[in-house]
């Protein structure tokens, strides 16, 4: 899984049916000091994260499990909101 | 599996059900001299690791799910061992 910080939302109304009911968020990957590493990504939200939240995300096949439609093409899904990194 | 080091503890309450009761850490890959490489991952701990430990890091979804015996767990990185020392044969 990879850590990140939610920096924005993304609306794509015309999209695959398999994404029905899924919210897209813009996430900046971070390190243990919450500093940005690498480029922002688009993640599906399975937890109800908001802009500003630190999160961690499942990648690849694991990203598909938490979403409503079993056959979704997700490759990155937020699975937890981080309270503390110490 | 990869050699890695635990660099921070990650606490979260609002999370996918699989993660309830699991301990999570931030980990970084290290080379054979112990130098950290690349960006960190979040891993589930199964061996009571602590921050600073040199660890054996599994990063494969189906192996992790088999270990947890949960076919739909959204997990890929799992700490499966604490490394005492690494011996390089010349």
């Amino acid at each position: 899984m990879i850590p990140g910080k939610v920096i924005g939302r993304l609306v794509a109304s015309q999209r695959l049916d398999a994404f029905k009911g899924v919210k897209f968020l813009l996430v900046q990957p971070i390190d243990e000091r919450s500093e940005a590493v690498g480029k922002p990504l688009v993640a599906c939200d399975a937890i109800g994260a908001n802009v500003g939240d630190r999160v961690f995300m499942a990648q690849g096949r694991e990203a598909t499990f938490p979403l409503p439609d079993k056959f979704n093409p997700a490759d990155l899904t937020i699975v937890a909101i981080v309270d503390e990194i110490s | 599996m990869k050699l890695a080091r635990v660099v921070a503890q990650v606490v979260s309450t609002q999370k996918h059900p699989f993660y309830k009761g699991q301990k999570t850490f931030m980990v970084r890959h290290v080379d054979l001299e112990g130098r950290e490489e690349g960006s960190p991952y979040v891993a589930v701990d199964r061996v009571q690791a602590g921050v600073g430990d040199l660890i054996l890091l599994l990063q494969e979804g189906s192996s992790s799910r088999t270990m947890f015996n949960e076919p739909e767990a959204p997990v890929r990185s799992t700490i499966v061992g604490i490394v005492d020392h690494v011996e390089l044969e010349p």
Side-chain angles (χ1 to χ4, degrees):
Chain A
M1 298 73 78
I2 57 173
K5 183 173 182 180
V6 180
I7 56 171
R9 273 179 286 278
L10 183 142
V11 177
S13 41
Q14 196 172 328
R15 61 205 185 151
L16 290 172
D17 291 343
F19 277 132
K20 199 159 43 322
V22 171
K23 205 173 70 173
F24 295 136
L25 292 175
L26 280 167
V27 184
Q28 167 61 57
I30 56 171
D31 65 16
E32 64 272 25
R33 288 177 296 277
S34 298
E35 279 158 19
V37 283
K39 293 192 172 48
L41 304 166
V42 180
C44 299
D45 178 25
I47 287 296
N50 293 306
V51 174
D53 285 343
R54 290 180 304 178
V55 295
F56 62 81
M57 301 168 278
Q59 308 136 276
R61 170 144 171 63
E62 286 77 62
T64 65
F65 295 133
L67 297 178
D69 182 327
K70 208 164 178 38
F71 299 103
N72 68 77
D75 68 352
L76 193 63
T77 299
I78 295 169
V79 289
I81 295 175
V82 170
D83 303 326
E84 201 194 314
I85 300 172
S86 49
Chain B
M1 292 173 295
K2 289 214 167 93
L3 202 55
R5 176 171 296 121
V6 178
V7 295
Q9 188 175 7
V10 175
V11 175
S12 53
T13 37
Q14 194 175 335
K15 51 196 174 180
H16 183 278
F18 164 76
Y19 285 95
K20 294 244 175 326
Q22 301 289 355
K23 248 183 124 185
T24 47
F25 286 102
M26 253 201 218
V27 299
R28 281 181 178 273
H29 293 158
V30 293
D31 65 20
L32 290 179
E33 279 77 37
R35 280 187 302 264
E36 290 173 11
E37 292 169 337
S39 48
Y41 294 91
V42 172
V44 175
D45 174 36
R46 300 295 294 166
V47 289
Q48 293 75 44
V51 175
D53 284 349
L54 196 61
I55 55 160
L56 204 51
L57 182 63
L58 168 69
Q59 289 194 296
E60 206 286 318
S62 51
S63 313
S64 292
R65 281 192 290 287
T66 308
M67 199 181 64
F68 286 106
N69 194 16
E70 292 214 22
E72 296 214 341
V75 57
R76 173 179 292 185
S77 298
T78 308
I79 300 173
V80 294
I82 297 177
V83 177
D84 300 318
H85 66 270
V86 175
E87 225 165 88
L88 282 178
E89 294 301 320

